[in-house]
Amino acid sequence: MYTDSLPATVRNAREEAAVIAQDLIVAADRYNLKDLKPVTENKLCKHSFSASTVLPMLLVAEHHQCWKLKDKCLVFIAAGRNTRAIMATDDVEHLARRCPSVVKEVLTKILDSREATPSNPLMRPDLIVPAGKARLLNPDAMPLLAISTRRLL
């Protein structure tokens, strides 16, 4: 029976709670339970994300128009301390296959957060080439470029 509240098991382990809440969002959309979806989305937004739960959560948020949850997931992914661990999961490939447009948003958010970091040596104004002014790189500089781009993630 629907009671307009989340079950007590959602308060258990982080991953189990995330899976149950995601299932509740899917059910709320499928059965048009208008009150359940925002309650569950708000609960997930307060949930402490992890590298293993954030990408499946992002996929659910995208498919079920949970924009607040989607934004929270993107912010978590872009945080420097989380990016490498998240990108090491198998969920990245699943996200790329199921929703390629979200991958572009993830990359944009990561790059935006890196640009906002003043200590990032790759974002110095004297190193940024204006659009239309780019030229081919010296092939001898390619190893340096590879090393520098690895620092972004």
Side-chain angles (χ1 to χ4, degrees):
M1 175 178 4
Y2 176 62
T3 61
D4 198 27
S5 63
L6 298 177
T9 56
V10 172
R11 293 184 184 96
N12 287 346
R14 183 183 347 191
E15 277 126 26
E16 180 185 343
V19 169
I20 291 170
Q22 290 168 47
D23 290 343
L24 285 173
I25 286 177
V26 172
D29 251 5
R30 181 176 294 147
Y31 299 109
N32 201 23
L33 301 171
K34 294 177 181 168
D35 294 333
L36 181 60
K37 186 175 166 183
V39 166
T40 307
E41 181 180 9
N42 287 334
K43 193 72 160 179
L44 278 172
C45 286
K46 294 176 186 169
H47 176 76
S48 67
F49 299 107
S50 72
S52 63
T53 62
V54 71
L55 290 178
M57 205 176 302
L58 177 60
L59 191 59
V60 168
E62 175 67 18
H63 285 298
H64 296 281
Q65 296 82 39
C66 298
W67 308 128
K68 181 179 168 185
L69 178 60
K70 179 180 175 180
D71 187 55
K72 294 274 189 182
C73 290
L74 289 172
V75 168
F76 180 82
I77 293 166
R81 64 191 178 281
N82 303 319
T83 306
R84 282 192 185 275
I86 293 165
M87 293 301 157
T89 67
D90 294 334
D91 295 325
V92 174
E93 293 174 17
H94 182 69
L95 180 68
R97 281 192 302 274
R98 295 272 320 267
C99 205
S101 63
V102 173
V103 173
K104 182 179 177 183
E105 289 180 66
V106 167
L107 291 173
T108 300
K109 192 71 167 182
I110 291 169
L111 290 173
D112 288 348
S113 73
R114 299 306 187 264
E115 288 174 2
T117 306
S119 64
N120 188 341
L122 293 176
M123 296 304 163
R124 288 188 357 226
D126 58 321
L127 294 179
I128 297 175
V129 178
K133 303 279 185 187
R135 60 182 189 278
L136 292 175
L137 291 172
N138 176 350
D140 296 330
M142 294 309 284
L144 179 61
L145 178 62
I147 292 167
S148 298
T149 55
R150 276 185 262 167
R151 289 185 192 163
L152 287 175
L153 299 176

